[in-house]
């Protein structure tokens, strides 16, 4: 009868137990732990993606609003530099604003022209003495009209041509309610009038027939139809003339300077989601850097400020602009807060 050792019997039993253990699988607790860990990893991954997306959108929004702000300031500075007369806060400035077609009805209530400071400096207004404004008004020089007198082709007469330019704030479409409760929603608009011939230079042509010929050719060649005398009070300075070159004997009715339908650029914003900041933005956005904030009427100054200093030979015009842009989809606000300085002369 064969004899079996205990060692060989033990080894066979261990082998059977190991085989059985390998076929056992995993427990429910192990499955739940694995699923939870995997879900946390997926959640962390997608949360990181969302954070990266929002950060990229915010950076893009910041770059866009700063580029737009700088572009607008450069454009305004170029316009101001070509002006021949700035109209500060005062009777003449108010009168001229009042006769620009449609401006009074559209301009934000409470808007103010800057006060001229011949000896002033760039600083924040004291609480009791305002100098900063939030709209601009000036005459811009155009190419003069060159005219050769009849019977004297060698003699060329040049008559100055101007446009009235007004820069002001208005509400964007659909923005209602108190502006102090919203961070943006304002548009910066440029009004450009029709071209105006210098009335004093036209009157200087002594021969009535020659004057009529000058005006008739100006109408035919440059489509000019209006005269403006910068030496007269605003409410006496405007006149029209006919296609035959005859100056109208009575003031226009209504007495207003039309907007140029061709050069009516209106809004300065290329992106509809960008707007001028309101008094409702936080202090660090930069609104009211030079003026004192007020809540009278629709508020002042909001995100556009202008200061005019210096004498007539070299006026310095400081322009400060604060824009806001809502980054999507986070809906966080990116903003730009920039200044520029333009130099102009009054002739």
């Amino acid at each position: 009868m064969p004899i079996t050792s205990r060692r060989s019997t033990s080894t066979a039993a261990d082998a059977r137990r190991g085989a059985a253990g390998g076929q056992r699988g995993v427990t429910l607790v192990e499955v739940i732990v694995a699923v939870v860990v995997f879900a946390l990893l997926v959640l962390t991954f997608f949360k990181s993606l969302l954070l990266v997306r929002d950060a990229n959108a915010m950076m893009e929004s910041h770059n866009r609003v700063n580029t737009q702000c700088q572009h607008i300031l450069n454009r305004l500075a170029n316009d101001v530099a070509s002006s021949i007369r700035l109209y500060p806060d005062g009777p003449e400035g108010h009168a001229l604003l009042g006769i620009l077609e449609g401006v009074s009805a559209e301009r934000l209530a409470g808007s103010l022209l800057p006060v001229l400071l011949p000896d002033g400096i760039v600083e924040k207004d004291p609480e009791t003495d305002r100098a900063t404004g939030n709209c601009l008004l000036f005459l811009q020089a155009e190419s003069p009209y060159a005219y050769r007198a009849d019977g004297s082709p060698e003699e060329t007469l040049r008559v100055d041509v101007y446009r009235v330019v007004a820069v002001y704030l208005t509400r964007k479409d659909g923005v209602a309610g108190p502006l102090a409760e919203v961070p943006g929603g304002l548009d910066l608009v440029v009004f450009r009038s029709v071209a105006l011939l210098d009335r004093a230079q036209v009157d200087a042509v002594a021969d009535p027939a020659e004057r009529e010929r000058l005006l008739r050719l100006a109408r035919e060649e440059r489509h000019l139809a209006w005269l403006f005398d910068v030496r007269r009070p605003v409410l006496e300075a405007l006149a029209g003339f006919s296609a035959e070159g005859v100056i109208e004997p009575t003031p226009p009715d209504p007495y207003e300077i039309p907007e140029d339908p061709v050069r009516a650029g209106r809004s300065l914003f290329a992106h509809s989601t960008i707007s001028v900041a309101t008094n409702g933005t936080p202090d660090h956005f930069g609104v009211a850097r030079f003026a004192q904030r007020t809540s009278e009427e629709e508020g002042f100054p909001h995100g556009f400020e202008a200061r005019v200093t210096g004498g007539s030979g070299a006026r310095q015009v400081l322009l400060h602009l604060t824009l806001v842009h809502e980054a999507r989809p986070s809906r966080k606000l990116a903003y730009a807060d920039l200044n520029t300085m333009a130099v102009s002369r009054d002739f």
Side-chain angles (χ1 to χ4, degrees):
M1 182 174 182
I3 300 174
T4 304
S5 66
R6 288 188 176 181
R7 181 175 182 83
S8 61
T9 304
S10 176
T11 302
D14 291 343
R16 287 193 298 271
R17 285 195 296 268
Q23 297 173 1
R24 181 174 56 88
V26 294
T27 65
L28 178 61
V29 173
E30 291 172 332
V31 171
I32 293 174
V33 170
V35 170
V36 169
V37 170
F38 179 74
L40 289 175
L41 290 174
V42 172
L43 181 63
T44 302
F45 174 73
F46 279 105
K47 188 174 182 180
S48 300
L49 284 181
L50 292 176
L51 289 174
V52 171
R53 182 201 63 181
D54 290 346
N56 289 338
M58 194 66 182
M59 184 178 298
E60 181 183 353
S61 181
H62 178 77
N63 291 336
R64 179 180 296 177
V65 73
N66 273 274
T67 300
Q68 185 71 29
C69 189
Q70 190 63 65
H71 173 74
I72 290 174
L73 286 176
N74 290 344
R75 179 176 172 181
L76 292 179
N78 288 336
D79 283 344
V80 170
S82 64
S83 68
I84 59 131
R85 181 175 179 182
L86 284 163
Y87 287 85
D89 191 55
E92 288 293 281
H94 297 164
L96 185 56
L97 270 178
I99 65 170
L100 300 181
E101 181 186 20
V103 169
S104 296
E106 187 181 50
R107 190 164 56 103
L108 196 68
S111 298
L112 297 170
L113 290 167
V115 175
L116 176 60
L117 300 175
D119 302 316
I121 59 174
V122 175
E123 61 181 349
K124 191 173 181 68
D125 292 342
E127 293 186 5
T128 57
D129 192 13
R130 179 193 67 86
T132 304
N134 64 347
C135 61
L136 278 175
L137 180 65
F138 53 90
L139 277 182
Q140 188 177 40
E142 293 273 313
S143 299
Y145 174 64
Y147 162 76
R148 289 187 175 180
D150 189 25
S152 180
E154 296 82 11
E155 181 183 354
T156 300
L157 175 66
R158 287 179 171 81
V159 183
D160 289 332
V161 179
Y162 315 122
R163 290 183 192 272
V164 181
V165 179
V167 184
Y168 55 93
L169 294 170
T170 186
R171 288 175 181 256
K172 278 182 170 287
D173 292 340
V175 176
L179 292 175
E181 297 178 3
V182 293
L186 294 179
D187 217 343
L188 192 60
V189 173
V190 176
F191 170 95
R192 298 182 190 278
S193 76
V194 294
L196 308 167
L197 271 173
D198 189 301
R199 173 70 182 267
Q201 295 178 13
V202 171
D203 288 343
V205 179
D207 184 358
E210 194 67 36
R211 190 185 312 125
E212 287 185 5
R213 181 173 179 271
L214 162 64
L215 294 176
R216 185 174 68 253
L217 291 176
R219 184 115 180 195
E220 293 173 1
E221 297 174 2
R222 290 276 296 269
H223 307 290
L224 302 170
W226 295 90
L227 300 169
F228 191 77
D229 193 340
V230 296
R231 298 159 187 82
R232 295 185 185 181
V234 168
L235 298 181
E236 302 173 8
L238 184 65
F241 61 91
S242 67
E244 292 74 28
V246 178
I247 299 176
E248 300 293 342
T250 58
D253 185 20
Y255 191 88
E256 63 181 17
I257 299 176
E259 183 175 19
D260 190 328
V262 177
R263 304 185 66 174
R266 285 298 177 182
S267 175
L268 287 171
F269 296 111
H271 303 282
S272 60
T273 53
I274 297 177
S275 62
V276 178
T278 69
N279 287 352
T281 55
D283 290 341
H284 68 271
F285 276 36
V287 170
R289 190 172 298 281
F290 299 99
Q292 299 288 340
R293 292 193 198 202
T294 67
S295 57
E296 297 178 4
E297 295 186 269
E298 292 193 90
F300 175 86
H302 300 295
F304 179 61
E305 297 176 281
R307 287 178 67 90
V308 181
T309 60
S312 60
R315 299 211 190 281
Q316 291 184 317
V317 182
L318 171 73
L319 302 175
H320 172 234
L321 184 61
T322 303
L323 303 182
V324 293
H325 180 250
E326 187 179 89
R328 302 293 178 89
S330 67
R331 305 187 72 86
K332 293 181 179 178
L333 286 178
Y335 72 95
D337 175 29
L338 300 176
N339 303 326
T340 193
M341 184 73 76
V343 178
S344 70
R345 292 187 295 170
D346 280 5
F347 292 94

